[in-house]
Each structure stands twice: as structure tokens, then as C-alpha cells.
Amino acid sequence: MLHIYCPHCGEYRDEEEFHSVGQAHIARPLDPEACSDEEWGEYLFFRKNPRGLHHELWVHSAGCRKFFNMTRDTQTYEIKEVYKIGEQPTVVVQLQAVSGAQS
Amino acid sequence: MSDVTSTTKLEQAATKAAVMNQLPADKESLGQSPLHHADFASAAKRGAQKGGIHLSELALLGHLTLRCDAGNLEQLAAVEAILGVPLPLTPLTSVEKGAYSVRWMSPDEWLILVPGLEAFSIESQFRDAMPGHYSLVNSSGGSTVLMLSGDNAVELLQKSTTIDWHLSVFPVGKVVSTLFAKSTATIRRTDDQRFELIIRRSFADYIWLWIQDASLEYGLVIEA
């Protein structure tokens, strides 16, 4: 069971009060009519499934019923941070470190 | 003021027209609590008189769900003028004044309990006095209120929820919306050993059965 901090209630609650809604920060195309089928399909259906840090959208469904974002490690289940909608995560994958490891 | 917080005269007239007294005009049609069949009145007489759990129902209260902008001072002033008490803006807190009580539900939502017969007049006052963009819904029929007290009340809550009920983190007046035996409930501590459970109408019978089962080891006293 995860112990999740709700940024709206301001306290930790049990996982059973929450629902995961999937990947966060998915921006709707500004002009959907101008999208190619591929771009629209990417937006609608294709989601990241990383091993490691993942930014997710959660909802405190049995509590204040507000949505918020969470950065979670999908390998260790460790919750790195929670932040409100509209804010940007502070814990992010270090791109340089990743590309350095690959080269 | 932005478009979201201001309303036109036409919109104000429309929201006023939408308000309807949910109580029947003839006084003989009585409302029934969702726990009507449990018959607390006679259970209080013939049931156990001693036990660790005391249960009573506050039936047929007026439940008003208010949604407005916590940063809009005009709205906050209007609410205070109507209820005689300011909205609790701190998360998980509640305020009480006479027969009125207000619970923080979410950063922009509050639940107001008033005596059942006053719900319509309070709602009408909101329609007259509230400025800007807001929502007030009379949800009285959707839920009922149980009062849980007694020496073992905290133990029963510990069995039924995942909340920490210690007085140091759950003082009198704190309110949480959570899961009580897997069904949603809004629980408020009104005294050290006294709790108010606002439960869904459709789950009322299930929770009544659950409380009977959970209090077997302590003894259940029904209060009318």
C-alpha cells in the first residue's frame, strides 16, 4: 500500500482513497483539425511506460476529489514528490546522465 | 473581476428560478430517513442500555453543498452574513454556530448542515445575497448523519478506516472525507469520544449492518 500525501488536504492518506489516472502533462494539440492522423493518434493512445521516474496524474477520489501530479519511481514504487496541477516537477530524469550512459 | 467570477442579471435570475423547495407543501407527508426500517426509536427502548458504542441518527437534516471561490472576499462576506459564521478556509476544519455547521470538503467546496426545515430558506438567502459565480446544491436526500460515541468509538473507527484518530493529529473539529468500511463517508470529531458520520443514503443500510457487526465485542447502545 502506498502512503500518499495529498497537496490539497495537506496530509498523508492511504492509497485506497486515491485513483491513478495515468501519465501527466499530456498537452492537447492546440489545433486538433490540423493534426495528422499520426499526431492525433499519439496524443490519444500512446503513453510512456518508463522504468524509473514517471510523472503521473492522481485523484484523491474518496477525499477532496481534486487531481494532482506525482513523480514516482516505477521500479521501487518510491514517491519522489507530489505537486499541484499547473506546476512543474522538480524531480526529473537527468537527460545528460542518460545520454552519457548510452554513449 | 474575471468572466468566471461575475454573472449577468439574466444568469442570476436563472439561478434563482432553479431553486425549489424539496419539502412537500402538505405537512402530512413526512420524510423518511434511509434508516427508517431500522426503527431506532424502539431499538433504543428494547435494546441494550450499556455498551462501548453509542449510536444515534440525525435524520432529515438539510445538507447544502456550496462551491465558491475561497479567494473571493465578497462571496466569503456574503456566506458569513447568511450563516453567522465564516467559511472554514483551512483544510480539514469545520465550524459550528448554533444549529448550523460547515465542513471544509475541498479547497473550493463546503458542506453545510442546517435543520431540515430551514434548508429552503437558507438556500433562498444564498440566491439573493451571493455575488459572482458559485454553486449551491441541496443534497439533503442523498445522505444521512450518524452520531457515534462511547468508550470504544475510536476502536470501531480504527477497524473501519485507515485514518489516524489520535487526538494529537485528529483534534475536535477536524473533518475528513474518507472510506468507512469501503464506502465514502465524511467524518468529523465533535468531542473527544464523539464522531459525526455523514454517509450516503444508498449505503446507510450497509453501514448500519457493519456497525452492528463491528460493535459486537463492545456492546451497541441505540439512542433515539
Side-chain angles (χ1 to χ4, degrees):
Chain A
M1 272 291 196
L2 298 175
H3 204 208
I4 299 170
Y5 184 85
C6 172
H8 300 285
C9 292
E11 67 174 26
Y12 283 90
R13 294 288 180 83
D14 211 74
E15 184 187 344
E16 69 174 16
E17 287 189 18
F18 298 86
H19 275 115
S20 172
V21 192
Q23 186 185 330
H25 305 295
I26 298 172
R28 183 182 167 88
L30 289 173
D31 186 4
E33 299 292 332
C35 282
S36 67
D37 284 354
E38 191 181 345
E39 283 169 340
W40 187 247
E42 287 278 339
Y43 160 70
L44 273 190
F45 302 116
F46 287 84
R47 298 291 178 260
K48 286 179 188 156
N49 183 22
R51 187 169 73 172
L53 286 187
H54 192 213
H55 305 294
E56 297 171 332
L57 187 63
W58 283 69
V59 58
H60 193 182
S61 47
C64 60
R65 305 191 300 282
K66 291 284 177 199
F67 287 80
F68 61 93
N69 293 324
M70 177 194 294
T71 306
R72 195 172 63 89
D73 191 315
T74 58
Q75 266 181 297
T76 62
Y77 281 61
E78 186 191 350
I79 297 168
K80 301 290 188 185
E81 63 172 341
V82 293
Y83 51 102
K84 291 181 183 172
I85 301 292
E87 296 173 0
Q88 289 300 313
T90 55
V91 182
V92 290
V93 176
Q94 297 299 318
L95 285 174
Q96 281 179 335
V98 171
S99 59
Q102 281 169 349
S103 61
Chain B
M1 202 179 275
S2 73
D3 288 348
V4 178
T5 50
S6 62
T7 47
T8 63
K9 284 222 158 61
L10 207 65
E11 284 171 328
Q12 278 171 354
T15 57
K16 259 189 203 177
V19 64
M20 183 189 89
N21 193 352
Q22 298 185 1
L23 296 175
D26 75 287
K27 303 287 178 214
E28 281 164 23
S29 314
L30 295 173
Q32 269 188 3
S33 128
L35 289 172
H36 175 79
H37 63 288
D39 195 6
F40 278 22
S42 43
K45 284 192 203 116
R46 57 180 157 72
Q49 301 299 318
K50 268 173 73 174
I53 304 287
H54 289 242
L55 183 73
S56 63
E57 189 196 5
L58 300 179
L60 307 177
L61 292 181
H63 299 235
L64 300 171
T65 296
L66 172 68
R67 300 200 63 178
C68 64
D69 179 1
N72 186 331
L73 297 178
E74 285 176 32
Q75 289 189 335
L76 297 184
V79 174
E80 190 172 351
I82 295 166
L83 298 174
V85 66
L87 282 182
L89 299 181
T90 312
L92 310 178
T93 58
S94 66
V95 295
E96 208 171 328
K97 168 114 192 232
Y100 303 160
S101 52
V102 190
R103 289 143 204 78
W104 183 97
M105 299 293 283
S106 154
D108 54 6
E109 182 179 338
W110 292 266
L111 178 64
I112 306 165
L113 289 200
V114 301
L117 296 175
E118 288 182 38
F120 179 60
S121 90
I122 301 266
E123 199 182 347
S124 307
Q125 287 177 51
F126 268 98
R127 302 289 173 199
D128 291 336
M130 267 302 257
H133 187 75
Y134 73 99
S135 149
L136 184 77
V137 177
N138 183 344
S139 55
S140 309
S143 38
T144 189
V145 183
L146 292 177
M147 295 304 293
L148 194 68
S149 58
D151 295 340
N152 299 106
V154 171
E155 273 100 324
L156 191 147
L157 287 169
Q158 283 168 339
K159 286 204 265 190
S160 315
T161 66
T162 57
I163 301 289
D164 185 352
W165 297 102
H166 195 275
L167 266 170
S168 61
V169 290
F170 207 108
V172 173
K174 182 171 172 177
V175 55
V176 293
S177 296
T178 183
L179 293 172
F180 179 93
K182 297 181 186 172
S183 74
T184 52
T186 300
I187 309 178
R188 184 168 71 112
R189 190 175 215 136
T190 57
D191 208 339
D192 286 6
Q193 296 281 2
R194 195 168 167 81
F195 298 88
E196 171 204 78
L197 275 70
I198 302 174
I199 55 170
R200 294 281 175 194
R201 176 182 192 94
S202 51
F203 282 91
D205 181 57
Y206 161 71
I207 287 176
W208 160 234
L209 294 173
W210 172 278
I211 289 176
Q212 288 177 79
D213 183 64
S215 57
L216 273 180
E217 57 181 305
Y218 314 117
L220 177 63
V221 182
I222 306 294
E223 293 167 353

